[in-house]
Amino acid sequence: MKIKSISIVFLAFLFCCILSTTANSQPQSIMGFSPEAAQNQITLEKTFDQLVRPEHLDEWMKYMSARPHHVGSPYDKKVVDFMAEKFKNWGYEVTVESFQILFPTPKVRLLEMIQPTAYTASLAEPPAEGDASSALTAEALPPYNCFSIDGDVTAELVFVNYGLPSDYEELEKLGVDVKGKIVLAKYQGSWRGIKPKVAAEKGAIGCLIYSDPGDDGYFQGDVYPEGPFKNEYGVQRGAVMDLPSSPGDVLTPGYGATSDAKRIPKEEAPSLTKIPVLPISYHDALPLLKALQGPMAPTNWRGALPLPYHLGPGPAKVHLQLEFNWDMKPAYDVIAKWPGSTLPDEWIIRGNHHDAWVHGAADPISGLVTLMEEARVLSELAKSGYAPRRTVVFCAWGAEEPGLIGSTEWVETHEDELKKKAVAYINTDGTSRGYLFAGGSHSLEKFFSEITEVVDDPVKKVSVLKRRNAVELVNNRPSWSYYQLGALGSGSDYSPFFQHSGIAAFNLGFGGESSGGEYHTMYDTYEMYKRFKDFDFAYGAALAKVAGRTTLRLANAEILPFEFQHFTETVDTYTEEVIKLAETLRAQTMKENKLIEDGSYLLTADPSETFVLPKVKEAVPYFDFSPLENALTQLKAQAAKFDELIKKGVKTGQNYTALNQVLKDMERTLTRSEGLPGRPWFKHFIYAPGFYTGYGVKTLPGIREAIEQREYKSVNTQIEKVAEVLQLYSGKIEQANKLLE
Ligand SMILES: [Zn+2]
């Protein structure tokens, strides 16, 4: 309470200083603001920056990551209460919504090699020297993959690289079959849940995933606690549900997991794995890999362990036994609203999750404390008479780690209200030092780029845009004249907003200068974060400035700052990509079929190896992309016209209600109620997580995946669906243009 009253006095003082120093400076424009409103907004943002205090981030992280706080743990509830209390003290309307969700935790974990030698895996992460938090193992969930089924399997082992579909194609050529076997896959290369999914499709009966030191261990740098990289015992926990089909609670697919919701039996839940899966350290993988024989793994599959990487199968034979407590646990969402002063029924939503696999200092607390500081500063501004025009909703999500559950259930429960009120969703998750990484809706790219020009990198003292551009240039990529948003795949809480409900979204964070191997291990602690991550929280503060501006500008804009030329150009690029993809696949297939038929493949095979001749593949037909290209032509014309009209400027005092209603619903026009092929939960037809990549994005997903997966019959249908979506989108811009005329 004391801090608050001091800050308000300080704020009043600051306002005076800023007003007097900026009186003579050049007027700056901001998208969506009239000249007068832009000046007020700039003053407000400068005050916002002055009020951001990195020491708060430090203090709150220290408390919130002090103990393991996974879903359903006592400390997760403490973290929730701590935040709710803070938001209340700052003056927010706070509710804690709880959902009842299925959250399996391990009961039995046994992995032993029974041939050719005996070895029992330790499956443990011992405390690290100098890191007291890492010794709290009794409270922590041991390493496991959440939503693996129970299982007791014994079989020969096969090494499958990253376990991607392309890895199995390679194995097939090498004559190695995984049917009836247990596969050993490396972490990385895809989202982890893809590995057991593909393994099961190929007939494997069990799946082990380990972290090779080549990827995030000693090959990259010193290991914890000497350095930030993964030591020999570190294990990445994590969910393995079929996330690209649908995230959220597995017993209530597509609707909210409220206490009275109808639940499907666990046995019918489509997104559980089909085979048991367990993550292990390389300490435990080493004896297994050493015991493998059979062909050598392809050169680019080999890791950094001191051994020849053989594929198997066998003679290593392992026994894997897994049993879980299939309990219902509460997922708590903390929802803190600051009602808008003039447009309370238009919401800007800002979120980050609070649950962790263990202590989660980096993931998710580093992003969450940033969000909390934004909320605190916003409340100080609002209480001094600068309340946001639209309602700002701060959300701390529960149960993100097992499958974006808290956010998905909240969106599914409040879908009708969100359809009416949501303008945009701004997400963060773990963050660290380095450059700004941002993905999002391309209709907000120009708007976001303006923000990256006015927030400075705390160390290099140039704009975060300039710094990011330097990274592109140094890595031989084209220069960025504006901030180029990445396309959103999945892996954090924006998915239900963006890909399910069609709400314009961002995902923001800093990184690139502080890599490590702590992700989802016992060693993602406050002690680790202070030594190897954003130790002084300077970049956390910079993120608060970027995300804070994004929220405040969207909240205060007179005309919502959407724009369509960036979007159109982006979709144009995606269209060129899918056309090229079809051409490349056609040429490749023709070439490979020829090599099979003319015997070249057989002539190169080593007679000592178990080479198997690949099968001739169906030729790739020609597809009709013209509906898509025609829709794009129409879109380009409307987007250009909007640009021309909006250039006339925003007029003070003019009523833009009708225009804003159209703009607010633009992103939703890109969704279709039937959803993507085979996964109706995902309704966005421009961006989706890849069905076989997991987190990695697939743009124009219906078309792209039909080509990639050689489902040629559905390609033209998907082209027509995207064309229809773009036509509707053009129609909406036309409506906006009429209102602007
Ligand atoms: Zn996270």
Side-chain angles (χ1 to χ4, degrees), residues 188-445:
Q188 304 201 359
S190 74
W191 180 61
R192 76 184 80 73
I194 300 300
K195 299 167 198 281
K197 170 165 139 175
V198 181
E201 284 174 5
K202 303 291 175 188
I205 59 168
C207 177
L208 302 170
I209 315 176
Y210 84 102
S211 298
D212 195 284
D215 290 320
D216 61 359
Y218 56 72
F219 189 76
Q220 301 295 336
D222 290 328
V223 301
Y224 200 65
E226 285 74 35
F229 289 95
K230 198 176 256 109
N231 62 37
E232 66 180 301
Y233 300 104
V235 186
Q236 182 189 133
R237 290 154 187 75
V240 286
M241 65 156 65
D242 193 1
L243 199 71
S245 290
S246 82
D249 176 41
V250 300
L251 302 184
T252 58
Y255 53 96
T258 49
S259 53
D260 57 346
K262 201 166 172 257
R263 288 169 166 81
I264 60 170
K266 183 194 108 202
E267 291 64 34
E268 290 170 23
S271 54
L272 299 184
T273 64
K274 305 288 180 274
I275 55 175
V277 46
L278 182 71
I280 59 175
S281 64
Y282 82 72
H283 176 88
D284 283 335
L286 190 65
L288 311 185
L289 281 163
K290 268 190 180 156
L292 282 176
Q293 291 295 323
M296 278 297 287
T299 332
N300 59 349
W301 287 27
R302 301 172 197 170
L305 289 169
L307 52 88
Y309 284 73
H310 287 281
L311 295 172
K317 191 173 190 181
V318 296
H319 171 215
L320 172 66
Q321 191 190 346
L322 295 174
E323 262 177 65
F324 299 92
N325 303 302
W326 294 91
D327 296 334
M328 300 299 287
K329 292 278 154 84
Y332 300 109
D333 293 337
V334 183
I335 310 293
K337 277 186 196 144
W338 197 284
S341 60
T342 49
L343 300 163
D345 286 337
E346 292 183 18
W347 291 1
I348 313 301
I349 308 164
R350 168 79 178 92
N352 193 109
H353 71 101
H354 61 77
D355 67 302
W357 275 120
V358 194
H359 300 78
D363 177 10
I365 300 300
S366 60
L368 184 58
V369 292
T370 299
L371 174 147
M372 287 168 68
E373 182 63 356
E374 292 162 35
R376 186 192 66 80
V377 172
L378 185 142
S379 79
E380 296 224 355
L381 293 170
K383 280 181 265 182
S384 323
Y386 299 89
R389 293 180 69 234
R390 295 184 175 82
T391 294
V392 176
V393 188
F394 286 97
C395 310
W397 307 117
E400 186 267 1
E401 291 296 0
L404 322 180
I405 301 178
S407 56
T408 298
E409 299 313 315
W410 192 77
V411 168
E412 288 173 350
T413 303
H414 299 281
E415 205 151 10
D416 294 338
E417 190 173 19
L418 288 170
K419 265 185 188 140
K420 285 185 207 117
K421 299 179 178 173
V423 173
Y425 174 70
I426 302 142
N427 190 69
T428 53
D429 202 324
T431 186
S432 190
R433 296 179 86 79
Y435 340 112
L436 178 66
F437 288 91
S441 302
H442 287 92
S443 52
L444 286 170
E445 185 173 74

Side-chain angles (χ1 to χ4, degrees), residues 9-297:
V9 175
F10 171 64
L11 181 70
F13 164 74
L14 216 77
F15 256 111
C16 299
C17 297
I18 287 165
L19 286 172
S20 60
T21 55
T22 53
N24 296 324
S25 60
Q26 285 292 321
Q28 273 176 272
S29 67
I30 302 180
M31 261 183 90
F33 288 74
S34 63
E36 296 85 339
Q39 286 317 299
N40 291 339
Q41 181 70 18
I42 287 162
T43 307
L44 186 76
E45 289 172 3
K46 282 184 179 157
T47 314
F48 184 98
D49 289 355
Q50 298 290 342
L51 292 174
V52 170
R53 300 247 306 264
E55 59 269 31
H56 286 156
L57 277 59
D58 193 336
E59 180 195 323
W60 298 334
M61 176 183 283
K62 193 170 183 183
Y63 178 80
M64 292 164 82
S65 64
R67 289 167 57 186
H69 57 107
H70 51 269
V71 176
S73 64
Y75 203 68
D76 188 48
K77 185 67 175 44
K78 282 215 156 174
V79 166
V80 163
D81 294 341
F82 174 79
M83 287 186 291
E85 184 71 18
K86 285 250 180 284
F87 283 122
K88 266 179 212 154
N89 287 341
W90 295 331
Y92 286 84
E93 293 171 5
V94 183
T95 51
V96 177
E97 277 186 60
S98 86
F99 295 99
Q100 287 298 314
I101 63 158
L102 184 68
F103 181 67
T105 53
K107 186 153 76 178
V108 177
R109 297 176 310 140
L110 173 68
L111 172 65
E112 51 186 1
M113 178 159 63
I114 52 172
Q115 279 172 16
T117 49
Y119 174 76
T120 304
S122 70
L123 308 179
E125 294 175 298
E129 214 184 301
D131 182 341
S133 298
S134 71
L136 298 175
T137 43
E139 289 177 43
L141 286 171
Y144 79 113
N145 285 133
C146 191
F147 298 111
S148 159
I149 56 165
D150 292 339
D152 190 341
V153 290
T154 302
E156 281 185 323
L157 201 63
V158 179
F159 174 60
V160 297
N161 194 29
Y162 293 117
L164 311 179
S166 56
D167 294 329
Y168 288 93
E169 276 176 32
E170 197 65 31
L171 282 171
E172 205 179 309
K173 280 185 202 160
L174 294 165
V176 178
D177 191 353
V178 302
K179 213 161 280 158
K181 307 286 192 282
I182 294 173
V183 301
L184 175 60
K186 291 187 289 186
Y187 258 117
Q188 304 201 359
S190 74
W191 180 61
R192 76 184 80 73
I194 300 300
K195 299 167 198 281
K197 170 165 139 175
V198 181
E201 284 174 5
K202 303 291 175 188
I205 59 168
C207 177
L208 302 170
I209 315 176
Y210 84 102
S211 298
D212 195 284
D215 290 320
D216 61 359
Y218 56 72
F219 189 76
Q220 301 295 336
D222 290 328
V223 301
Y224 200 65
E226 285 74 35
F229 289 95
K230 198 176 256 109
N231 62 37
E232 66 180 301
Y233 300 104
V235 186
Q236 182 189 133
R237 290 154 187 75
V240 286
M241 65 156 65
D242 193 1
L243 199 71
S245 290
S246 82
D249 176 41
V250 300
L251 302 184
T252 58
Y255 53 96
T258 49
S259 53
D260 57 346
K262 201 166 172 257
R263 288 169 166 81
I264 60 170
K266 183 194 108 202
E267 291 64 34
E268 290 170 23
S271 54
L272 299 184
T273 64
K274 305 288 180 274
I275 55 175
V277 46
L278 182 71
I280 59 175
S281 64
Y282 82 72
H283 176 88
D284 283 335
L286 190 65
L288 311 185
L289 281 163
K290 268 190 180 156
L292 282 176
Q293 291 295 323
M296 278 297 287

